[in-house]
Amino acid sequence: METTPKLTDRLDSALTESGIGTHRGPTWSMGAMYRETIPEIDHYASKGILSLGMAESALLAVAAYRRVDAAVVHEVGDYLTTDEWEPNADEPCSLPTMLDPTIEALRTYIS
């Protein structure tokens, strides 16, 4: 599943303009918490996967079926490597911080 490039660009710009650093790249979608294995982590890391999410594939599948634009913004919640799992990462940027720029990006995108 793919995001809508123009919407993704708009979200990226709005977050960047608000001083929120962004990273763009592919996501590994896993529907079951704590089921990631070390071989899978190695595999996806070697493919350049930047994030792991649980709901994105469903959101993007519905958007594709309905032929509507969609994009995803992630908050870093934890870090997962083959060496360790760091839960509840203390990131300076939280969902509430990203909310206003995200809403503004959506407003300008649909206008």
Side-chain angles (χ1 to χ4, degrees):
M1 301 286 138
E2 297 286 327
T3 60
T4 305
K6 286 177 88 173
L7 178 54
T8 302
D9 290 343
R10 184 62 205 122
L11 287 164
D12 189 34
S13 295
L15 292 164
T16 300
E17 290 165 11
S18 295
I20 298 170
T22 64
H23 301 280
R24 291 172 71 164
T27 295
W28 167 24
S29 186
M30 164 61 83
M33 292 179 68
Y34 310 116
R35 296 278 312 267
E36 305 88 359
T37 66
I38 289 175
E40 287 175 317
I41 295 166
D42 277 337
H43 169 77
Y44 288 112
S46 73
K47 300 281 185 196
I49 301 298
L50 297 182
S51 60
L52 169 63
M54 294 186 65
E56 297 76 13
S57 60
L59 170 87
L60 296 173
V62 170
Y65 178 78
R66 295 289 182 192
R67 295 187 176 130
V68 297
D69 295 346
V72 178
V73 176
H74 286 260
E75 171 195 26
V76 175
D78 54 9
Y79 292 97
L80 178 64
T81 69
T82 56
D83 297 326
E84 68 179 320
W85 170 47
E86 183 184 329
N88 304 316
D90 189 21
E91 287 292 315
C93 182
S94 63
L95 286 176
T97 306
M98 294 187 286
L99 187 58
D100 286 340
T102 299
I103 290 170
E104 185 57 29
L106 295 172
R107 277 192 188 122
T108 59
Y109 183 77
I110 62 172
S111 327

